Amino acid sequence: MASTLGSEQLGRLRLAALGAHLKRTRPGDDRVVAEVVTASGAHVMTASRHVVALVEQPTRRSFGGPLTWALRGAAGSLELVVGFGPGAVDEDEVAGHLARLATGFGIETAVLRRLGAAATLESLEPVAPAPLPLRGVLAESEPADPTIESAVASVRAAGFDVEWIDEWGVRRVELRGLEVARVVRGARGPTGTAPHAQRLEVGVGRVDREIASMAVGTRPDEEVLVRAVELVDRVRRPGAPPHPLRDLVPARWLRATLLGDPTVVGATDLSPIGTTVRFDGLREIQPAAAAGTALDGAPLVVVCTAGVDLDVVPLALDTAASFDQAGGHHAPATLVICGPSRSLLDATRIVAAAADRPIRFEALELPY
């Protein structure tokens, strides 16, 4: 729909399109009893508790909002209509991902992709669930070469509790959940590495790494890494006052806490894993996952969240299913969602109650 329209007019047009869709597809069940306009679409519910939700320009994290609205209204079925504009990236992958998420709940759900003009919903096609991305959940990144491993070991020997984190083929060094360096291959680095050799890019985020790579000159990796870790350690520690580096990616800090003490969630051991959505930004609100062994010996998947995240339950289910399939487990892993008590909303628990596997919640407060 045209971006030049005001938000109120755009919302009315979206609701009208949903109403027309109901008249065409559900004659006799087109009386709308609830409706809402969202930032990216609109939802309507009929008298029979059927929900149609329209989401424009969806991402892989666009299922939780419509699902939550439907379940809070005691809906019995849900149609999720996704509309992609010109130049949409990974359209098939995103639609298939959403369709796969829809299979994890008791509510009957269909995901449909809009074809043709954006102003109407007259031409829709069903979307099949995409396969689980096993590679994203289990680490497959290349181990660091001995020089880089030695630099990280030296930082640990200096008393800094840094962790190697492998997700989606990227090997990072994190301090309390915040990336301070990563292993990369590519063009010749500032220290004279071969074109395809590994090197350690130090910095918090892409821009910081690029600036650091231009400024470090020929200083050894260990020296540069220690300085970066010292900087982060001063401002990102329990009880520290507010600071931009302290407040980034809080869910990953919670995961780091669990890696240090798995007993908090009833585990004997935990290792970091990726979720089924690639982590690709320090300012994203995105859960962090770990897997290990529960006290009863069963496999365990823990998904940490912080803040308001209506997609945490669908993503946790998807990640646990991917972990089960990748690991070839005979029984589904125990699934735990942990986070600050204020983040474990009633709406989140309503969605979890509709899931096709049990979910346990554990409150874990942020360390500041």
Side-chain angles (χ1 to χ4, degrees):
M1 295 180 184
S3 59
T4 56
L5 295 175
S7 59
E8 184 176 348
Q9 184 179 7
L10 185 59
R12 289 198 302 267
L13 287 174
R14 288 168 171 168
L15 289 173
L18 290 173
H21 169 73
L22 286 171
K23 289 183 182 298
R24 285 191 303 272
T25 61
R26 299 179 70 88
D29 183 31
D30 58 352
R31 184 169 67 88
V32 173
V33 296
E35 62 185 28
V36 64
V37 174
T38 69
S40 59
H43 315 334
V44 297
M45 178 183 289
T46 70
S48 71
R49 289 296 187 264
H50 175 73
V51 168
V52 184
L54 170 64
V55 178
E56 301 281 4
Q57 301 289 48
T59 71
R60 288 172 174 81
R61 291 171 55 73
S62 293
F63 183 57
L67 176 65
T68 302
W69 192 80
L71 292 175
R72 293 188 72 175
S77 55
L78 168 64
E79 284 179 87
L80 177 64
V81 180
V82 293
F84 296 89
V89 178
D90 297 334
E91 179 177 336
D92 291 341
E93 290 83 354
V94 170
H97 178 93
L98 295 174
R100 187 180 66 247
L101 294 183
T103 66
F105 297 89
I107 181 173
E108 179 186 348
T109 304
V111 177
L112 305 170
R113 175 163 43 189
R114 184 189 62 211
L115 305 174
T120 69
L121 303 180
E122 294 182 0
S123 181
L124 303 174
E125 68 174 7
V127 179
L132 285 164
L134 308 184
R135 178 178 178 272
V137 172
L138 297 184
E140 291 187 0
S141 55
E142 183 181 13
D145 70 29
T147 301
I148 295 175
E149 291 278 8
S150 177
V152 175
S154 297
V155 173
R156 287 174 170 165
F160 297 107
D161 190 19
V162 295
E163 296 280 353
W164 279 115
I165 305 293
D166 292 307
E167 296 173 339
W168 286 88
V170 178
R171 189 164 171 81
R172 299 180 176 91
V173 182
E174 292 187 357
L175 176 68
R176 302 186 187 106
L178 183 62
E179 179 182 354
V180 293
R182 69 171 58 184
V183 178
V184 299
R185 284 185 176 273
R188 183 179 301 275
T191 57
T193 55
H196 300 291
Q198 288 185 355
R199 68 181 189 277
L200 193 67
E201 283 191 349
V202 177
V204 178
R206 178 182 58 82
V207 174
D208 192 29
R209 292 196 307 273
E210 291 176 354
I211 294 173
S213 68
M214 293 185 289
V216 297
T218 58
R219 283 182 290 171
D221 289 338
E222 179 182 337
E223 178 183 343
V224 178
L225 182 58
V226 166
R227 291 190 179 185
V229 171
E230 286 175 340
L231 170 63
V232 173
D233 179 69
R234 285 197 296 269
V235 298
R236 189 178 176 91
R237 57 172 52 245
H243 187 280
L245 295 184
R246 187 204 72 171
D247 301 337
L248 288 172
V249 290
R252 297 176 80 85
W253 194 346
L254 291 180
R255 178 175 67 179
T257 300
L258 294 181
L259 297 179
D261 184 8
T263 62
V264 172
V265 289
T268 60
D269 61 90
L270 285 173
S271 299
I273 63 170
T275 70
T276 54
V277 174
R278 183 191 298 269
F279 172 73
D280 196 30
L282 293 175
R283 299 191 181 279
E284 291 182 352
I285 298 176
Q286 185 172 323
T293 307
L295 296 178
D296 62 2
L300 176 76
V301 171
V302 183
V303 176
C304 298
T305 186
V308 177
D309 185 357
L310 298 181
D311 281 280
V312 64
V313 172
L315 181 59
L317 288 170
D318 204 45
T319 298
S322 187
F323 177 77
D324 289 341
Q325 186 168 321
H329 301 122
H330 297 297
T334 299
L335 178 56
V336 179
I337 295 177
C338 73
S341 54
R342 66 179 181 273
S343 298
L344 305 180
L345 308 173
D346 289 343
T348 304
R349 297 177 185 273
I350 289 173
V351 174
D356 63 1
R357 68 194 291 168
I359 299 175
R360 190 175 87 236
F361 289 93
E362 292 284 352
L364 179 62
E365 302 306 319
L366 290 167
Y368 52 82

